[in-house]
Every structure is written in C-alpha cells, then in structure tokens.
Amino acid sequence: MKYKKIPKNYIKVCVDRLTRFKPVYDRYERVFKDILNKFLISDSKGIVMESLSIDELCSMVSEIFNSSIPYEYDSFLSDVILEEEQNIFKLEEDELKFLNAGLNLTGAIKYLSDETLLPLNLDRLKACIASRNTDTFSLRKKHSFLYPVSKVVLTEGATEEILLSKFASYLGYDFNKEGVFVLGAGGKNQVARKYYKMIDTIKLPVFILLDSDALETRELILTKLRVQDKIHLIKAGEFEDILPLDLIINAINSNFSNNLHCSMADFDSNLKMTKNLHNLFKNKGFGEYKKADFAKMVKNYLENTIVMEHRNGSVFGKNVQDMIISLEIKEIMNEIEKI
C-alpha cells in the first residue's frame, strides 16, 4: 500500500473529529474515508474504497495514521475512549471495530502537546495523559472539560443553545464541569426526529426544552419518552419570552452606540418578545433581527458587564440573579440538574 504521511495539522483535525460528541459510526466513517481520500496513493482510489470492508478500512487507516506519528504506539487513550463510548452509546459491531482500530491516539496527543489553543476535547485528552491515574470525571470537574458527556439538553434553536450554559453558571451549575451537552435541533419540527435518533444511539438522560406552541412535538416525543428523560414546555411562549426585560434592554444598549438605545417604552407587553425585537430592530435602525445574533449579544453582555458583579467565583447574589435570570429559567436549570 502506497500512501503519504498525514501532516501534523491534519492529525489535529482527525483526532478532533474522532473525539467529539456524535454517534461513533458517523465520526469514524467520515474521518477514515477522508484519510484514504487525501493520503492513499492509488489511481483507482474511489473503487478501492467502495470495495473495502470495515476491517480493511480500519487496517489501512491505522497504518497510515500511526506511521505519521513520531511516537511509539500506546493504547492508553484508545482504552479510555472505548470505555467512555461504551458507557455513552449503544454500540453496534462495526462501531466497536472502529473504536478498536488501533489508532495511536496517545502518540497523536503527545505529538500535538506543544500546540496552543487546542479544542476542548483534545485539551482534556492531553490532561488524561498527564494524569493517568485520575478518572476522567474528576478531570472534567476540575478543569471544566465537558467530556465525558453525562447528559444532553435538546433545544429547538440557537438562542437556548447559546444562553443556557451561561445562565446555569450564574446559578452555580457549570455545564462543562457536569458534562451537560447542549444541542440545538435547528427548529421545532426537528426536535422529535433528533430525539428519536438519540434514544436509538445513546444511553445518557436527555432533557428536551420546547416552546409553548410545540404541543404536537411534545406528543410525538411522549410516545417514546424514556424514564430517565424529561420534557419542559416553556410556559410563556419562546425562550426569549422568559428573559428578563431589564436584561434584554441592557444587552441591546450595551451592544449599540449611545445614540441607538431602547427603553421599556419600546416594548409592547401584548406582543411576544420576538415580535417586539423584530419591530425594535427595524424601527431603531439596529439592522435585521436574528435570533442567534441577539443571543450572542446577550451572552456578550453577561460576560463583559454582569460578570463584574461576580465575587471570588461564588454564586451571584440574589439581586443580580433576579435581574438576569427569570423564575422559569431557574426552574429549567433545576430540572436539568436533577435528571
């Protein structure tokens, strides 16, 4: 077999993709086929790949991958990852073959150890090697690594995905320390489909957060809801409707210049918050209202302004909490913590 060695920068890409929180087959098949496509030297590369069994694919990729690592083979990280994956996912035979392909992941992380700004999942593997006798849950708790993931929060869209972990931290519940993975489904109509796929692939508890109008989605999920999972239907409407108005106003005013500002008088209590925000952005010259951009605006405000009120890493005082966190957000966080 003729092949080119994988350069260091692409080793990082491969290990990053292999160790994210996604179904095993999806990760490994993509990365392994990419490696053959990029580094196998063959005039009939496409034909060769189509005819390969999983065993042959694993054997060829492990040879190319391991020959590109300037460290002796060490199974430590592969063993750690295999145990974690078995605790997290319902693994099929082909997925176990991928996980047991014999990649020198320990050597790869050593190879990348001088890299700065490693992705969080790689940074935690680096810590695993440095602390071989420390269990990965303790490392996660100590360094806020997120991995190994222990529970999943499934949301409709980007606003919740961006803001939930920030609110949780102000209530003393660090998603990264507790292994809480937040996944946006990409819309109300995608939540049930995502949940059905999840329960076929993962063992972890799932918390599903839905807008108040997602009654049909809720009924679809209830037909397959596992005992360890929970649904929360937002009472007031959408996630934006349970953000305190003071927080929304301050975040917007903090983001824009002094001559572009808003006040409580700009909000109609009879309208849903997203409608208010659409009108506000249009009438005030703030540009087009986009949910994800607005959520990032709120997050930036929380990180750059409110954080100044935080003292010595302790939980925020009640007056600050009330200004930035509504009662329903507190209720949601309490439910996430308990599943």
Side-chain angles (χ1 to χ4, degrees), residues 202-218:
I202 72 169
K203 302 175 182 178
L204 304 178
V206 180
F207 180 88
I208 306 107
L209 182 61
L210 298 171
D211 293 342
S212 62
D213 64 351
L215 295 173
E216 185 177 342
T217 300
R218 180 177 180 271

Side-chain angles (χ1 to χ4, degrees), residues 16-40:
D16 176 31
R17 289 175 177 169
L18 288 173
T19 56
R20 294 177 185 176
F21 182 71
K22 289 183 178 180
V24 173
Y25 195 93
D26 294 351
R27 283 177 276 151
Y28 276 75
E29 184 191 40
R30 175 192 173 185
V31 171
F32 279 28
K33 288 187 174 180
D34 281 351
I35 288 174
L36 290 191
N37 267 322
K38 293 177 184 293
F39 304 105
L40 181 65

Side-chain angles (χ1 to χ4, degrees), residues 58-294:
C58 290
S59 176
M60 293 172 71
V61 169
S62 65
E63 180 180 338
I64 297 172
F65 186 90
N66 292 349
S67 71
S68 307
I69 306 297
Y71 289 90
E72 290 186 4
Y73 178 78
D74 183 340
S75 68
F76 171 70
L77 279 183
S78 294
D79 294 340
V80 168
I81 290 169
L82 174 61
E83 182 178 354
E84 289 181 354
E85 302 280 18
Q86 288 174 320
N87 290 331
I88 293 170
F89 293 100
K90 302 173 183 177
L91 299 175
E92 302 290 341
E93 182 181 351
D94 285 347
E95 292 175 311
L96 286 169
K97 287 179 179 179
F98 278 129
L99 290 168
N100 287 301
L103 299 183
N104 187 8
L105 296 176
T106 309
I109 293 299
K110 288 179 179 178
Y111 189 27
L112 299 170
S113 61
D114 61 343
E115 296 273 318
T116 57
L117 300 176
L118 283 174
L120 194 60
N121 49 324
L122 301 194
D123 210 22
R124 79 103 179 186
L125 293 178
K126 184 177 172 182
C128 285
I129 295 173
S131 307
R132 291 195 181 213
N133 295 323
T134 305
D135 70 89
T136 54
F137 294 100
S138 297
L139 286 174
R140 184 188 73 193
K141 193 87 170 178
K142 181 178 180 181
H143 300 288
S144 296
F145 279 143
L146 177 60
Y147 298 90
V149 174
S150 290
K151 62 181 73 172
V152 179
V153 176
L154 179 61
T155 72
E156 288 190 30
T159 307
E160 304 94 304
E161 192 175 4
I162 292 167
L163 290 176
L164 276 174
S165 62
K166 184 56 60 179
F167 288 131
S169 68
Y170 292 156
L171 292 170
Y173 188 67
D174 188 321
F175 277 12
N176 280 6
K177 286 186 177 181
E178 302 301 330
V180 182
F181 189 92
V182 184
L183 176 65
K188 175 176 60 179
N189 296 329
Q190 298 299 316
V191 178
R193 184 184 65 82
K194 289 272 189 183
Y195 178 71
Y196 288 173
K197 184 176 181 180
M198 275 187 182
I199 61 176
D200 284 339
T201 56
I202 72 169
K203 302 175 182 178
L204 304 178
V206 180
F207 180 88
I208 306 107
L209 182 61
L210 298 171
D211 293 342
S212 62
D213 64 351
L215 295 173
E216 185 177 342
T217 300
R218 180 177 180 271
E219 292 306 310
L220 286 171
I221 292 173
L222 282 174
T223 63
K224 294 192 176 184
L225 191 71
R226 303 176 303 176
V227 293
Q228 68 266 42
D229 300 337
K230 184 175 179 61
I231 303 176
H232 182 102
L233 206 65
I234 293 174
K235 301 179 183 71
E238 300 176 84
F239 193 75
E240 289 83 356
D241 292 307
I242 61 173
L243 299 178
L245 185 55
D246 280 342
L247 172 62
I248 291 172
I249 291 171
N250 290 334
I252 292 172
N253 289 342
S254 176
N255 184 76
F256 294 104
S257 59
N258 290 334
N259 62 324
L260 292 174
H261 66 276
C262 62
S263 66
M264 287 194 178
D266 294 308
F267 292 82
D268 185 342
S269 60
N270 295 313
L271 297 178
K272 292 295 185 182
M273 185 54 66
T274 51
K275 181 63 176 175
N276 266 309
L277 290 168
H278 275 291
N279 293 341
L280 179 72
F281 274 56
K282 180 181 177 180
N283 296 334
K284 291 286 186 178
F286 292 157
E288 183 184 357
Y289 169 71
K290 296 179 181 178
K291 280 176 170 280
D293 290 345
F294 169 71

Side-chain angles (χ1 to χ4, degrees), residues 307-326:
V307 76
M308 301 300 292
E309 299 290 335
H310 205 193
R311 297 288 188 267
N312 303 318
S314 60
V315 177
F316 274 79
K318 187 177 184 304
N319 59 327
V320 179
Q321 282 190 17
D322 290 344
M323 186 175 70
I324 64 174
I325 305 174
S326 67

